[in-house]
Amino acid sequence: DVKVTQSSRYLVKRTGEKVFLECVQDMDHENMFWYRQDPGLGLRLIYFSYDVKMKEKGDIPEGYSVSREKKERFSLILESASTSQTSMYLCATVTGTGKNQPQHFGDGTRLSIL
Amino acid sequence: AQSVTQPDIHITVSEGASLELRCNYSYGATPYLFWYVQSPGQGLQLLLKYFSGDTLVQGIKGFEAEFKRSQSSFNLRKPSVHWSDAAEYFCAVGARGSSNTGKLIFGQGTTLQVKP
């Protein structure tokens, strides 16, 4: 089974802090994604990466950046956290073998910015 | 633009009753379709997927879904709901040109409540 591990289940930070959310997968998947989930809005794509050091903006990249130095690890960075970024963050991975395959999700990080 | 609509934000059914969750998509070609379930405080778990072939697909936990091209729908069904099915359900479609990226477009989600 694919294992996608997000470093924290719950995180509380202060406005203006730089925040790092980590995601690690053990299946050698090429593609990794960061979403935020808010009530009534479903999942919205922040960034995704299709290879080491490769990234592409999703639908809501403002205020976020990402880093992928190794294939198994994909980090989401809040450069200067704001209260509007309080949300549930989900990481997902999928193999990039050329056909649509299901994404595999971590358990999520519930982030509160005070 | 591609989109996925789940018309029902919240549904309540009695335990043992049948269930149908609606999903409509907007896509120009044959879509790749998925249903995921999210239990409270958890990530998303795949219930089933449709790529091609038989339009009635079976999934885990006794769920099934039917792809209807004429109605642009992919509704999720279960004949008898259990209390443990209470969760949030998401429908998703593979984004156009996504065969190599795996990008998905998600609906807004439907929260299922099960009455004893």
Side-chain angles (χ1 to χ4, degrees):
Chain A
D1 265 359
V2 177
K3 189 162 180 62
V4 182
T5 302
Q6 294 185 230
S7 53
S8 304
R9 294 296 300 275
Y10 301 93
L11 205 54
V12 180
K13 296 291 183 180
R14 295 203 174 276
T15 302
E17 280 192 69
K18 191 169 186 177
V19 181
F20 294 85
L21 303 184
E22 306 286 343
C23 176
V24 177
Q25 51 107 351
D26 67 354
M27 285 300 294
D28 203 36
H29 283 174
E30 292 83 0
N31 303 334
M32 299 185 73
F33 305 80
W34 275 107
Y35 296 91
R36 68 176 280 174
Q37 181 183 9
D38 301 288
L41 298 178
L43 276 69
R44 293 180 291 168
L45 181 64
I46 303 171
Y47 268 97
F48 80 100
S49 167
Y50 48 91
D51 202 348
V52 174
K53 297 191 186 295
M54 306 301 286
K55 61 186 179 184
E56 191 169 310
K57 293 180 180 179
D59 300 316
I60 52 165
E62 296 78 19
Y64 303 94
S65 63
V66 290
S67 171
R68 193 161 179 207
E69 298 295 321
K70 294 184 177 182
K71 192 173 187 179
E72 67 270 18
R73 186 181 296 270
F74 190 35
S75 303
L76 179 70
I77 303 159
L78 285 65
E79 298 290 345
S80 178
S82 70
T83 55
S84 65
Q85 293 176 309
T86 291
S87 186
M88 173 74 138
Y89 290 87
L90 291 165
C91 173
T93 79
V94 68
T95 183
T97 56
K99 279 194 171 184
N100 273 277
Q101 295 296 325
Q103 292 186 6
H104 299 269
F105 285 82
D107 285 338
T109 296
R110 187 163 294 282
L111 175 64
S112 296
I113 307 295
L114 305 179
Chain B
Q2 287 178 273
S3 64
V4 177
T5 301
Q6 294 178 244
D8 305 305
I9 296 173
H10 193 278
I11 283 184
T12 301
V13 300
S14 297
E15 191 168 16
S18 63
L19 172 70
E20 182 169 31
L21 302 183
R22 296 184 291 163
C23 173
N24 295 99
Y25 65 89
S26 169
Y27 191 79
T30 300
Y32 299 100
L33 294 161
F34 307 86
W35 273 101
Y36 285 86
V37 61
Q38 183 182 35
S39 298
Q42 302 295 317
L44 276 68
Q45 180 185 18
L46 179 71
L47 281 176
L48 47 79
K49 61 187 180 185
Y50 172 78
F51 286 174
S52 64
D54 193 348
T55 57
L56 185 64
V57 293
Q58 302 297 320
I60 62 171
K61 305 186 181 190
F63 285 92
E64 67 177 26
E66 187 171 12
F67 170 59
K68 293 185 176 180
R69 183 189 300 277
S70 61
Q71 298 177 20
S72 297
S73 69
F74 188 56
N75 294 348
L76 182 71
R77 300 194 294 248
K78 187 170 185 178
S80 177
V81 169
H82 187 263
W83 65 265
S84 60
D85 293 324
E88 190 160 18
Y89 292 80
F90 292 94
C91 180
V93 64
R96 183 170 289 121
S98 66
S99 61
N100 290 321
T101 67
K103 286 176 68 176
L104 297 178
I105 296 172
F106 285 87
Q108 302 92 324
T110 297
T111 300
L112 173 65
Q113 184 178 358
V114 180
K115 292 191 300 185

